[in-house]
Amino acid sequence: MSDFGWTEKQRAFLRSNDAKVEFLEGTTASGKTTVGAYKFLCRVMASNDQMHILSAEDTGTAEKNIIQKDNGIADLTRSTFFEYKGNGSAQYKMPHIILHTKRGDKVVFVVGYRDKARWKDALGGQYGCLYIDEINTANMDFVREAMMRSNYTIATLNPDDPNLPIYKEYINHSRPLKRWEAEEPKEILAELVESPKDGWVHWFFTFDDSGISEDKKRTIIENVPVGTKLYKNKIQGIRCKATGLVFSNFDQNNVVKAKELKDRIKQGKLKFKRYSMGVDTSYSQKSPDTIAMEFCGITDDGDLYTLEERIFNNAIRKEPLAPSDVVTEIVGFADFCRIAWGDFRNIFIDSADQATITECIKYKRENGCIYNFIPSYKGMKVTDRINLQLGWIAKEQYFVCDHCTENIREKGVYSWQEDKDIPCDSDDHTINSEQYAWLPYVHDIGI
């Protein structure tokens, strides 16, 4: 392996040769393209196959960002005879690279996935190695077709909208190696939940993994507005939607550990004056909408904490829940929270879901329990609720326990509609349920 000043993680990536598919996700200026291109070349030269594919948005982008740039393929192959046929050749009409190796000549076709007519011509057979630049922006038909025809794939990307099909169909099936799992953002680890596929590896690279100078790193960070999608994607390395984020100022400073909270309670440094629980329901079996239960606490100082959550999704359950089933789940979750944190009685359930409320009242009449099942208060507009939360977040008076992963995920993707000044009606079930919990006690928060 030639020495190009690789960092520790880059070297680990280059030396790992067991993977079938490798996704290189991470911040901007993290060296993904450089180290990915180098390993791609190594795998091409070691392959028994003659034909390979290098793909980007278009051939011009591939030339500028991967082939001809500093530490691009042209530089990285200084010890290997390299030819680039940008206009094709008598043998192959499309742009391609020829690598003269000990295993014979290797041909790497340079393909632009934006032009379907051209890439359809390229994908006529089986290929050895495949490189996809910025796979999050790639044509999905190209990705499906190309990966099906390749023995080994490297794909780079910056974090993007987690609802993009590329994540569910491909990236979220990968897993990090145990050695590097702790260095992955927990927001992304929480998304890697699709069934794992053998040999599919997820790598996360940051500024620190590229070896760039602190001055260069500082310049990049200072030039990106905080709270924007660009900042979350390329600086923080967090997946979030393309439209404007609702909770753009929510970050890791608002995430706390439950154990630390309980230690502070024991030490007398933190006291909760009130607990409450909210429930938002969706029984659909055809959507990712969830049945969400959130348990919140308000301190003597007026700080709001989301302490526990429980999520059910009928779309992925073999036996979907009905309102009569959810009642026992609500009571069970309430008992768990009461024992773990402290006594409370009021549970606020989405007022639009009369079926669940009726079942809860019936349960209390027939079985008896300490809880009051109350229709949620919706007198305050959604935008006003959001405005309050944004203020609490800014003043460090709103926190979420780190094990409430779905709530944290929704905070990172809940977005404004592009054509209206209201939020999208998605990725909001934990957000709604926690609002149901604190709305009746809003005057106790933020004091």
Side-chain angles (χ1 to χ4, degrees):
M1 181 174 64
S2 299
D3 186 2
F4 288 93
W6 305 118
T7 62
E8 182 184 2
K9 186 182 287 187
Q10 288 175 332
R11 286 181 176 277
F13 166 71
L14 292 171
R15 287 170 174 157
S16 174
N17 291 315
D18 297 329
K20 299 173 184 176
V21 176
E22 297 185 275
F23 297 105
L24 281 62
E25 190 167 5
T27 67
T28 188
S30 60
K32 301 184 300 294
T33 301
T34 300
V35 74
Y38 185 79
K39 185 167 185 178
F40 172 72
L41 287 173
C42 293
R43 291 295 293 258
V44 168
M45 290 187 286
S47 172
N48 292 323
D49 297 293
Q50 183 188 14
M51 305 295 185
H52 311 270
I53 291 178
L54 169 70
S55 62
E57 182 180 10
D58 51 49
T59 54
T61 300
E63 289 178 13
K64 178 172 67 75
N65 295 341
I66 305 172
I67 300 173
Q68 304 292 3
K69 74 163 193 170
D70 290 343
N71 289 328
I73 287 178
D75 282 350
L76 295 173
T77 54
R78 59 193 180 200
S79 61
T80 304
F81 192 77
F82 163 90
E83 293 182 66
Y84 177 54
K85 306 287 187 179
N87 296 316
S89 65
Q91 189 173 7
Y92 304 108
K93 293 182 179 179
M94 67 179 60
H96 59 277
I97 296 167
I98 299 177
L99 296 173
H100 301 292
T101 77
K102 294 178 180 179
R103 292 173 175 264
D105 288 354
K106 306 292 183 180
V107 179
V108 181
F109 294 109
V110 181
V111 178
Y113 46 67
R114 186 174 62 181
D115 188 339
K116 186 170 184 177
R118 293 195 176 186
W119 65 251
K120 288 290 283 185
D121 290 339
L123 300 181
Q126 292 297 124
Y127 296 88
C129 302
L130 169 67
Y131 182 102
I132 306 178
D133 181 53
E134 296 188 7
I135 193 172
N136 53 306
T137 67
N139 180 295
M140 281 301 296
D141 288 336
F142 169 79
V143 174
R144 296 178 186 120
E145 188 85 13
M147 288 189 64
M148 177 182 69
R149 296 175 178 275
S150 302
N151 297 324
Y152 171 73
T153 299
I154 288 180
T156 66
L157 72 154
N158 293 122
D160 205 338
D161 179 353
N163 292 324
L164 289 173
I166 191 66
Y167 286 109
K168 184 173 182 62
E169 291 187 32
Y170 290 96
I171 299 168
N172 290 345
H173 288 278
S174 63
R175 298 291 189 272
L177 299 178
K178 288 294 183 183
R179 164 67 178 82
W180 303 102
E181 185 174 359
E183 295 194 12
E184 297 242 344
K186 56 186 175 182
E187 296 90 347
I188 289 182
L189 272 178
E191 299 250 351
L192 303 178
V193 294
E194 301 299 330
S195 56
K197 294 192 176 183
D198 183 44
W200 286 38
V201 180
H202 186 273
W203 295 86
F204 190 86
F205 290 95
T206 69
F207 298 105
D208 296 332
D209 299 315
S210 68
I212 65 170
S213 68
E214 286 299 316
D215 286 343
K216 178 65 174 176
K217 177 181 174 181
R218 185 166 53 251
T219 299
I220 294 171
I221 294 173
E222 290 175 350
N223 286 339
V224 182
V226 176
T228 61
K229 176 183 184 294
L230 191 67
Y231 189 89
K232 284 184 174 285
N233 288 167
K234 297 205 170 186
I235 304 301
Q236 294 181 299
I238 299 172
R239 299 173 184 175
C240 65
K241 280 190 172 181
T243 52
L245 288 174
V246 172
F247 294 107
S248 58
N249 60 346
F250 182 88
D251 58 28
Q252 288 303 302
N253 292 324
N254 303 104
V255 178
V256 296
K257 294 183 180 298
K259 183 180 183 304
E260 293 177 1
L261 285 185
K262 290 183 177 180
D263 288 343
R264 289 170 61 194
I265 292 172
K266 290 179 181 178
Q267 296 164 6
K269 296 179 181 179
L270 183 70
K271 184 178 180 181
F272 284 98
K273 66 182 293 184
R274 186 185 302 280
Y275 296 107
S276 181
M277 177 176 156
V279 180
D280 188 52
T281 56
S282 174
Y283 293 95
S284 172
Q285 294 177 255
K286 299 181 179 180
S287 78
D289 292 342
T290 61
I291 299 164
M293 307 176 194
E294 298 288 305
F295 178 73
C296 300
I298 302 171
T299 70
D300 282 347
D301 296 327
D303 294 343
L304 174 65
Y305 287 79
T306 296
L307 301 170
E308 301 286 349
E309 72 177 15
R310 187 163 294 175
I311 309 297
F312 301 96
N313 185 348
N314 273 347
I316 62 175
R317 293 179 64 91
K318 291 182 179 179
E319 297 182 9
L321 295 172
S324 57
D325 303 314
V326 168
V327 176
T328 56
E329 297 294 348
I330 291 173
V331 173
F333 179 60
D335 286 341
F336 168 81
C337 295
R338 181 171 54 83
I339 295 168
W341 294 95
D343 290 335
F344 75 105
R345 293 183 61 207
N346 294 336
I347 300 174
F348 299 92
I349 302 171
D350 184 359
S351 57
D353 183 6
Q354 287 300 312
T356 300
I357 294 172
T358 300
E359 288 291 340
C360 287
I361 294 172
K362 177 183 175 183
Y363 176 91
K364 182 168 183 174
R365 183 177 67 247
E366 294 180 350
N367 299 280
C369 69
I370 66 170
Y371 304 112
N372 298 317
F373 302 104
I374 305 170
S376 63
Y377 170 71
K378 293 187 178 180
M380 183 182 292
K381 293 172 60 178
V382 172
T383 50
D384 290 333
R385 302 178 206 171
I386 290 169
N387 196 44
L388 280 173
Q389 284 184 272
L390 289 171
W392 299 335
I393 293 169
K395 295 175 183 177
E396 297 184 355
Q397 294 183 298
Y398 173 79
F399 304 93
V400 179
C401 279
D402 59 351
H403 57 253
C404 298
T405 55
E406 181 63 12
N407 188 293
I408 294 169
R409 186 196 71 80
E410 287 190 354
K411 291 292 194 307
V413 298
Y414 187 43
S415 304
W416 298 101
Q417 293 187 28
E418 294 185 2
D419 55 345
K420 297 179 182 178
D421 293 326
I422 58 175
C424 298
D425 186 21
S426 62
D427 296 305
D428 61 353
H429 289 279
T430 65
I431 291 169
N432 287 338
S433 58
E434 73 175 0
Q435 289 175 350
Y436 299 156
W438 60 253
L439 271 168
Y441 312 113
V442 67
H443 297 297
D444 292 334
I445 307 170
I447 299 172

